[in-house]
PDB file of all heavy atoms in Angstrom:
ATOM      1  N   SER A 289     137.356 144.863 252.209  1.00 98.00           N
ATOM      2  CA  SER A 289     136.136 144.957 253.003  1.00 98.00           C
ATOM      3  C   SER A 289     136.445 144.845 254.490  1.00 98.00           C
ATOM      4  O   SER A 289     135.790 145.478 255.333  1.00 98.00           O
ATOM      5  CB  SER A 289     135.117 143.895 252.585  1.00 98.00           C
ATOM      6  OG  SER A 289     135.739 142.647 252.629  1.00 98.00           O
ATOM      7  N   ARG A 290     137.557 144.123 254.819  1.00 98.00           N
ATOM      8  CA  ARG A 290     137.962 144.045 256.230  1.00 98.00           C
ATOM      9  C   ARG A 290     138.484 145.384 256.696  1.00 98.00           C
ATOM     10  O   ARG A 290     138.259 145.783 257.879  1.00 98.00           O
ATOM     11  CB  ARG A 290     139.056 142.974 256.362  1.00 98.00           C
ATOM     12  CG  ARG A 290     138.644 141.563 255.909  1.00 98.00           C
ATOM     13  CD  ARG A 290     137.810 140.877 256.947  1.00 98.00           C
ATOM     14  NE  ARG A 290     137.416 139.537 256.595  1.00 98.00           N
ATOM     15  CZ  ARG A 290     138.117 138.414 256.866  1.00 98.00           C
ATOM     16  NH1 ARG A 290     139.281 138.494 257.433  1.00 98.00           N
ATOM     17  NH2 ARG A 290     137.681 137.236 256.503  1.00 98.00           N
ATOM     18  N   ILE A 291     139.205 146.072 255.850  1.00 98.00           N
ATOM     19  CA  ILE A 291     139.701 147.431 256.193  1.00 98.00           C
ATOM     20  C   ILE A 291     138.498 148.328 256.512  1.00 98.00           C
ATOM     21  O   ILE A 291     138.521 149.085 257.494  1.00 98.00           O
ATOM     22  CB  ILE A 291     140.562 148.026 255.051  1.00 98.00           C
ATOM     23  CG1 ILE A 291     141.862 147.302 254.871  1.00 98.00           C
ATOM     24  CG2 ILE A 291     140.773 149.539 255.235  1.00 98.00           C
ATOM     25  CD1 ILE A 291     142.638 147.667 253.634  1.00 98.00           C
ATOM     26  N   GLU A 292     137.466 148.230 255.683  1.00 98.00           N
ATOM     27  CA  GLU A 292     136.302 149.064 255.900  1.00 98.00           C
ATOM     28  C   GLU A 292     135.618 148.714 257.227  1.00 98.00           C
ATOM     29  O   GLU A 292     135.111 149.581 257.940  1.00 98.00           O
ATOM     30  CB  GLU A 292     135.294 148.908 254.722  1.00 98.00           C
ATOM     31  CG  GLU A 292     135.853 149.504 253.458  1.00 98.00           C
ATOM     32  CD  GLU A 292     134.796 149.628 252.339  1.00 98.00           C
ATOM     33  OE1 GLU A 292     133.627 149.223 252.552  1.00 98.00           O
ATOM     34  OE2 GLU A 292     135.185 150.065 251.265  1.00 98.00           O
ATOM     35  N   LYS A 293     135.627 147.422 257.520  1.00 98.00           N
ATOM     36  CA  LYS A 293     135.013 146.999 258.772  1.00 98.00           C
ATOM     37  C   LYS A 293     135.763 147.535 259.990  1.00 98.00           C
ATOM     38  O   LYS A 293     135.182 148.001 260.942  1.00 98.00           O
ATOM     39  CB  LYS A 293     134.983 145.446 258.796  1.00 98.00           C
ATOM     40  CG  LYS A 293     133.979 144.858 259.734  1.00 98.00           C
ATOM     41  CD  LYS A 293     133.756 143.395 259.416  1.00 98.00           C
ATOM     42  CE  LYS A 293     132.963 142.749 260.508  1.00 98.00           C
ATOM     43  NZ  LYS A 293     132.843 141.319 260.380  1.00 98.00           N
ATOM     44  N   ILE A 294     137.069 147.495 259.902  1.00 98.00           N
ATOM     45  CA  ILE A 294     137.905 147.982 261.012  1.00 98.00           C
ATOM     46  C   ILE A 294     137.714 149.512 261.242  1.00 98.00           C
ATOM     47  O   ILE A 294     137.592 149.965 262.369  1.00 98.00           O
ATOM     48  CB  ILE A 294     139.383 147.652 260.797  1.00 98.00           C
ATOM     49  CG1 ILE A 294     139.623 146.159 260.814  1.00 98.00           C
ATOM     50  CG2 ILE A 294     140.288 148.362 261.780  1.00 98.00           C
ATOM     51  CD1 ILE A 294     141.031 145.727 260.322  1.00 98.00           C
ATOM     52  N   THR A 295     137.728 150.220 260.125  1.00 98.00           N
ATOM     53  CA  THR A 295     137.832 151.696 260.216  1.00 98.00           C
ATOM     54  C   THR A 295     136.478 152.380 260.083  1.00 98.00           C
ATOM     55  O   THR A 295     136.371 153.595 260.331  1.00 98.00           O
ATOM     56  CB  THR A 295     138.720 152.275 259.105  1.00 98.00           C
ATOM     57  OG1 THR A 295     138.156 151.901 257.822  1.00 98.00           O
ATOM     58  CG2 THR A 295     140.145 151.702 259.176  1.00 98.00           C
ATOM     59  N   ALA A 296     135.441 151.667 259.604  1.00 98.00           N
ATOM     60  CA  ALA A 296     134.133 152.258 259.256  1.00 98.00           C
ATOM     61  C   ALA A 296     134.342 153.389 258.221  1.00 98.00           C
ATOM     62  O   ALA A 296     133.589 154.375 258.220  1.00 98.00           O
ATOM     63  CB  ALA A 296     133.407 152.773 260.493  1.00 98.00           C
ATOM     64  N   LYS A 297     135.373 153.254 257.399  1.00 98.00           N
ATOM     65  CA  LYS A 297     135.633 154.229 256.344  1.00 98.00           C
ATOM     66  C   LYS A 297     135.942 153.441 255.061  1.00 98.00           C
ATOM     67  O   LYS A 297     136.326 152.271 255.143  1.00 98.00           O
ATOM     68  CB  LYS A 297     136.831 155.092 256.671  1.00 98.00           C
ATOM     69  CG  LYS A 297     136.518 156.036 257.810  1.00 98.00           C
ATOM     70  CD  LYS A 297     137.668 156.902 258.109  1.00 98.00           C
ATOM     71  CE  LYS A 297     137.323 157.781 259.306  1.00 98.00           C
ATOM     72  NZ  LYS A 297     138.483 158.176 260.102  1.00 98.00           N
ATOM     73  N   SER A 298     135.813 154.087 253.911  1.00 97.00           N
ATOM     74  CA  SER A 298     136.113 153.374 252.689  1.00 97.00           C
ATOM     75  C   SER A 298     137.216 154.058 251.882  1.00 97.00           C
ATOM     76  O   SER A 298     137.536 155.232 252.161  1.00 97.00           O
ATOM     77  CB  SER A 298     134.853 153.248 251.824  1.00 97.00           C
ATOM     78  OG  SER A 298     134.382 154.508 251.579  1.00 97.00           O
ATOM     79  N   CYS A 299     137.830 153.287 251.017  1.00 96.00           N
ATOM     80  CA  CYS A 299     138.856 153.875 250.170  1.00 96.00           C
ATOM     81  C   CYS A 299     138.506 153.527 248.763  1.00 96.00           C
ATOM     82  O   CYS A 299     137.688 152.656 248.482  1.00 96.00           O
ATOM     83  CB  CYS A 299     140.244 153.414 250.568  1.00 96.00           C
ATOM     84  SG  CYS A 299     140.371 151.667 250.782  1.00 96.00           S
ATOM     85  N   ILE A 300     139.207 154.162 247.813  1.00 98.00           N
ATOM     86  CA  ILE A 300     138.926 153.902 246.381  1.00 98.00           C
ATOM     87  C   ILE A 300     139.942 152.878 245.940  1.00 98.00           C
ATOM     88  O   ILE A 300     141.141 152.969 246.251  1.00 98.00           O
ATOM     89  CB  ILE A 300     139.013 155.223 245.589  1.00 98.00           C
ATOM     90  CG1 ILE A 300     137.985 156.176 246.069  1.00 98.00           C
ATOM     91  CG2 ILE A 300     138.939 154.938 244.074  1.00 98.00           C
ATOM     92  CD1 ILE A 300     138.169 157.606 245.575  1.00 98.00           C
ATOM     93  N   PHE A 301     139.459 151.856 245.219  1.00 98.00           N
ATOM     94  CA  PHE A 301     140.359 150.750 244.811  1.00 98.00           C
ATOM     95  C   PHE A 301     140.406 150.609 243.292  1.00 98.00           C
ATOM     96  O   PHE A 301     139.395 150.580 242.636  1.00 98.00           O
ATOM     97  CB  PHE A 301     139.857 149.449 245.448  1.00 98.00           C
ATOM     98  CG  PHE A 301     140.581 148.223 244.891  1.00 98.00           C
ATOM     99  CD1 PHE A 301     141.972 148.119 245.079  1.00 98.00           C
ATOM    100  CD2 PHE A 301     139.898 147.206 244.263  1.00 98.00           C
ATOM    101  CE1 PHE A 301     142.681 147.009 244.610  1.00 98.00           C
ATOM    102  CE2 PHE A 301     140.596 146.083 243.777  1.00 98.00           C
ATOM    103  CZ  PHE A 301     141.986 145.997 243.936  1.00 98.00           C
TER     104      PHE A 301
END
Side-chain angles (χ1 to χ4, degrees):
S289 53
R290 303 280 183 89
I291 291 171
E292 290 191 2
K293 202 164 167 187
I294 294 169
T295 61
K297 289 181 184 153
S298 55
C299 48
I300 297 166
F301 172 59

